[in-house]
Amino acid sequence: MSKLMSKILLIDDDTNFVYIIKTILKSKDKKVYAVNNVENAIDILRANDNIIDLILTDYSLCCGNTCMPLFDYLQDINSNIPVIVLSANEY
């Protein structure tokens, strides 16, 4: 398995999207941690210090929440993890 971007944290509340992306990434030998909200994502980041190589997140999550608290957390810990924000909504 390539070391480059091999451990990916995926945050999305759409289970069909998560299944598709997770399947594609696993076929490329990536380890995928999938969660449906920012709170669970932060728990994974805390439990797996320096293990995540890339974060893929939906902007709009369940119940009117967004991914913005994730950025606050990443800034608080001075993280250099790259983040890609996805959205199916028009802004």
Side-chain angles (χ1 to χ4, degrees):
M1 180 173 3
S2 170
K3 194 86 166 113
L4 184 62
M5 302 294 173
S6 62
K7 296 173 198 85
I8 300 170
L9 176 57
L10 173 61
I11 310 163
D12 201 306
D13 57 343
D14 181 334
T15 55
N16 291 325
F17 180 77
V18 168
Y19 175 79
I20 291 166
I21 297 299
K22 197 171 179 180
T23 301
I24 291 168
L25 292 172
K26 283 186 169 186
S27 75
K28 304 293 182 187
D29 294 325
K30 307 300 181 188
K31 170 72 175 159
V32 180
Y33 299 84
V35 296
N36 63 1
N37 62 56
V38 170
E39 293 79 15
N40 290 345
I42 290 172
D43 288 343
I44 286 177
L45 291 167
R46 283 186 180 133
N48 298 287
D49 189 34
N50 296 322
I51 196 169
I52 301 299
D53 299 310
L54 174 68
I55 299 172
L56 297 175
T57 183
D58 188 5
Y59 178 80
S60 298
L61 299 165
C62 179
C63 308
N65 294 316
T66 69
C67 66
M68 295 312 292
L70 174 69
F71 290 103
D72 293 335
Y73 174 77
L74 293 173
Q75 185 175 10
D76 287 347
I77 64 168
N78 295 315
S79 174
N80 291 322
I81 302 171
V83 179
I84 298 174
V85 179
L86 308 168
S87 182
N89 296 328
E90 292 182 30
Y91 291 100

